[in-house]
């Protein structure tokens, strides 16, 4: 006779805030980061990032920690407001061997995704760039753009509140090497 298991509670994944306090994870964090103060700040920032993102709360704690450590080692912030990097949840299908035996069940894992502001931070730290500018262009600001000459003319709206209320029509990016040997402008 088949037993109806639908009324039995399913095993809930362990909360990240609890999992990260386990000795094995604490040892990994301390060995990777070295400094106890840095490790404490890291745990607090990642726990906060997971707490405010419901999709990350369903992820395997080890994948969240692994992705977050990559960002920390690069000295980037997980804060979504800063946009250095993001922890992005992905569904991972169940894996079976060639005989149909389950190797790993379906799960959700977090992956590291570098944000464009993270790219800028890493470029600035490299020491190769004299100037890096990335700026949204708002409706009414673009006067002319010549892609062949990489020449742009804009009149920025000075009132910040008015500027923020306008829709973004494109993005301006420019970088120049320290030695002045190369300059690139894009719109």
């Amino acid at each position: 006779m088949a037993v109806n298991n639908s009324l039995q509670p399913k095993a809930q994944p362990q909360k990240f805030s609890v999992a990260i306090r386990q000795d094995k994870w604490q040892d990994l964090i301390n060995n990777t980061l070295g400094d106890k103060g840095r490790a404490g700040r890291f745990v607090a920032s990642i726990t906060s990032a997971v707490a405010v993102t419901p999709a990350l709360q369903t992820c395997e704690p080890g994948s969240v920690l692994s992705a977050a450590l990559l960002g920390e080692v690069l000295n980037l912030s997980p804060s979504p407001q800063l946009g250095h990097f993001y922890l992005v949840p992905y569904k991972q299908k169940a894996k079976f061997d060639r005989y149909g035996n389950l190797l790993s069940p379906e799960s959700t894992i977090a992956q590291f995704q570098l944000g464009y502001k993270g790219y800028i931070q890493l470029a600035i730290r490299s020491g190769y760039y004299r100037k890096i500018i990335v700026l949204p262009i708002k409706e009414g600001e673009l006067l002319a753009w010549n892609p062949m000459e990489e020449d742009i003319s804009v009149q920025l709206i000075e009132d910040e509140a008015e500027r923020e209320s306008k829709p973004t029509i494109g993005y301006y990016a420019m970088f120049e090497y320290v030695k002045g040997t190369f300059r690139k402008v894009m719109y």
Side-chain angles (χ1 to χ4, degrees):
M1 180 166 114
V3 177
N4 183 355
N5 290 329
S6 63
L7 298 178
Q8 293 180 354
K10 291 184 179 178
Q12 294 293 320
Q14 190 174 35
K15 286 188 176 248
F16 182 76
S17 60
V18 174
I20 199 162
R21 302 278 180 213
Q22 293 177 352
D23 288 342
K24 68 177 182 176
W25 299 122
Q26 288 295 309
D27 290 345
L28 175 65
I29 293 166
N30 290 329
N31 290 338
T32 303
L33 302 180
D35 179 8
K36 288 240 184 225
R38 183 177 177 195
R41 184 195 54 75
F42 168 76
V43 169
S45 67
I46 296 308
T47 302
S48 174
V50 171
V52 299
T53 309
L56 285 176
Q57 295 171 17
T58 65
C59 291
E60 298 286 332
S63 71
V64 174
L65 185 59
S66 176
L69 278 171
L70 179 54
E72 182 66 22
V73 168
L74 292 172
N75 202 20
L76 298 173
S77 172
S79 170
Q81 292 80 6
L82 294 178
H84 290 175
F85 75 91
Y86 302 94
L87 299 172
V88 182
Y90 288 96
K91 290 280 186 194
Q92 193 170 35
K93 293 182 178 179
K95 293 182 184 174
F96 298 90
D97 65 13
R98 61 182 169 184
Y99 304 109
N101 299 318
L102 181 67
L103 296 175
S104 63
E106 183 176 291
S107 62
T108 305
I109 60 167
Q111 289 187 354
F112 172 88
Q113 178 134 9
L114 189 60
Y116 86 91
K117 291 180 181 179
Y119 279 109
I120 293 169
Q121 281 295 312
L122 295 175
I124 289 169
R125 287 189 225 149
S126 74
Y128 291 117
Y129 301 92
R130 176 172 30 175
K131 191 186 293 186
I132 298 175
I133 299 171
V134 178
L135 182 70
I137 303 297
K138 301 294 186 167
E139 186 177 83
E141 292 182 327
L142 181 65
L143 302 176
W145 166 241
N146 180 346
M148 297 300 285
E149 298 292 323
E150 294 186 342
D151 188 34
I152 189 169
S153 179
V154 295
Q155 177 68 46
L156 297 179
I157 298 169
E158 291 183 24
D159 182 334
E160 194 62 33
E162 179 186 349
R163 186 170 196 280
E164 286 300 314
S165 71
K166 299 281 186 175
T168 300
I169 61 165
Y171 293 89
Y172 167 77
M174 187 279 291
F175 68 87
E176 184 176 333
Y177 285 157
V178 169
K179 296 180 182 180
T181 57
F182 187 73
R183 181 175 195 262
K184 181 71 177 168
V185 176
M186 294 170 274
Y187 171 73

